[in-house]
Amino acid sequence: SQQGEEDPQALSIQEGENATMNCSYKTSINNLQWYRQNSGRGLVHLILIRSNEREKHSGRLRVTLDTSKKSSSLLITASRAADTASYFCATDGTGANSKLTFGKGITLSVRP
Amino acid sequence: KAGVTQTPRYLIKTRGQQVTLSCSPISGHRSVSWYQQTPGQGLQFLFEYFSETQRNKGNFPGRFSGRQFSNSRSEMNVSTLELGDSALYLCASKTGTGRGVTQYFGPGTRLLVL
């Protein structure tokens, strides 16, 4: 079953604009991660935020985490056509073993 | 360092057959996880191996099995294939089993069951 649910399911923006994607989850987490996937290929790890962190930055990426609302957001600033991809949030729970549970993903299209 | 490699990249099988997929992790990575990705169910965790032992298992039938060798390479096997097994199978490796450790994914094996 999916733990994370991303919102919106699809997003289309113009190059140079910012893209904001949201993820909600249901159970307690140890950390939350965002991945990118281009055209059904392998996933690329973008950023990890731990449950005791509220915000993290990496280049043009900004991730926030609100554990009280069980939600996270990924902001891509100054988007480029090359950012066109599917984006997934994945949660790592607090059980005995580390295991990632992925959402269904957001399709981002950046128009040149 | 070479990335995670998966072979074969594409595979076509018929119902009832079995298939073996291979994954070579990044050098030095001892944990290998497998995921199934389908349009309907999304990305689902199959299992994780570390030091030749299965550490964690997802909610898949017993037709799905795996193993890991002493060099950390891993294989997964699906027996008695069903149409619904058509999917992209992804493997990922990381250095250990701890939390907050980045997983690196391979390009996947696309399996089509006819």
Side-chain angles (χ1 to χ4, degrees):
Chain A
S1 61
Q2 269 21 65
Q3 158 78 308
E5 288 191 14
E6 295 95 341
D7 162 55
Q9 289 187 329
L11 183 60
S12 181
I13 59 173
Q14 201 75 34
E15 208 165 25
E17 292 181 336
N18 295 341
T20 299
M21 291 168 267
N22 303 300
C23 169
S24 60
Y25 57 91
K26 295 177 183 139
T27 61
S28 297
I29 61 169
N30 175 279
N31 64 79
L32 184 145
Q33 305 177 33
W34 285 91
Y35 287 82
R36 183 186 75 226
Q37 184 179 39
N38 290 85
S39 300
R41 297 168 68 178
L43 278 76
V44 174
H45 182 265
L46 295 176
I47 198 164
L48 179 152
I49 186 163
R50 300 178 198 280
S51 60
N52 61 354
E53 297 176 311
R54 292 296 165 257
E55 188 171 312
K56 236 177 153 173
H57 297 255
S58 176
R60 294 184 296 114
L61 305 180
R62 172 180 169 251
V63 168
T64 61
L65 179 65
D66 186 334
T67 52
S68 66
K69 294 182 180 176
K70 290 188 168 60
S71 67
S72 171
S73 68
L74 171 68
L75 168 68
I76 304 175
T77 59
S79 62
R80 306 166 182 167
D83 295 327
T84 295
S86 293
Y87 291 80
F88 296 86
C89 72
T91 54
D92 189 0
T94 56
N97 294 310
S98 173
K99 179 181 104 172
L100 289 184
T101 305
F102 285 84
K104 291 216 168 185
I106 297 169
T107 301
L108 172 66
S109 297
V110 181
R111 303 186 302 274
Chain B
K1 253 187 196 178
V4 178
T5 57
Q6 292 187 245
T7 56
R9 292 292 312 279
Y10 302 93
L11 206 48
I12 299 175
K13 291 284 188 180
T14 55
R15 274 182 302 174
Q17 287 187 311
Q18 76 164 16
V19 66
T20 299
L21 312 181
S22 181
C23 171
S24 293
I26 291 171
S27 177
H29 286 194
R30 295 170 62 195
S31 167
V32 173
S33 295
W34 288 90
Y35 295 84
Q36 181 197 64
Q37 185 176 28
T38 60
Q41 297 299 315
L43 274 152
Q44 293 189 287
F45 172 79
L46 280 155
F47 26 65
E48 179 188 9
Y49 285 87
F50 178 81
S51 292
E52 302 177 66
T53 302
Q54 188 180 87
R55 293 285 301 238
N56 206 351
K57 190 176 188 310
N59 193 24
F60 278 81
R63 301 185 296 107
F64 291 82
S65 63
R67 59 178 176 167
Q68 187 180 35
F69 302 94
S70 58
N71 62 357
S72 294
R73 189 177 71 84
S74 176
E75 288 181 348
M76 69 162 278
N77 184 274
V78 188
S79 62
T80 320
L81 284 165
E82 300 176 359
L83 295 180
D85 297 333
S86 294
L88 180 66
Y89 289 88
L90 294 161
C91 98
S93 76
K94 56 182 182 175
T95 51
T97 57
R99 296 188 190 281
V101 178
T102 299
Q103 283 194 102
Y104 296 87
F105 281 79
T109 293
R110 189 165 293 281
L111 171 66
L112 177 61
V113 182
L114 301 174

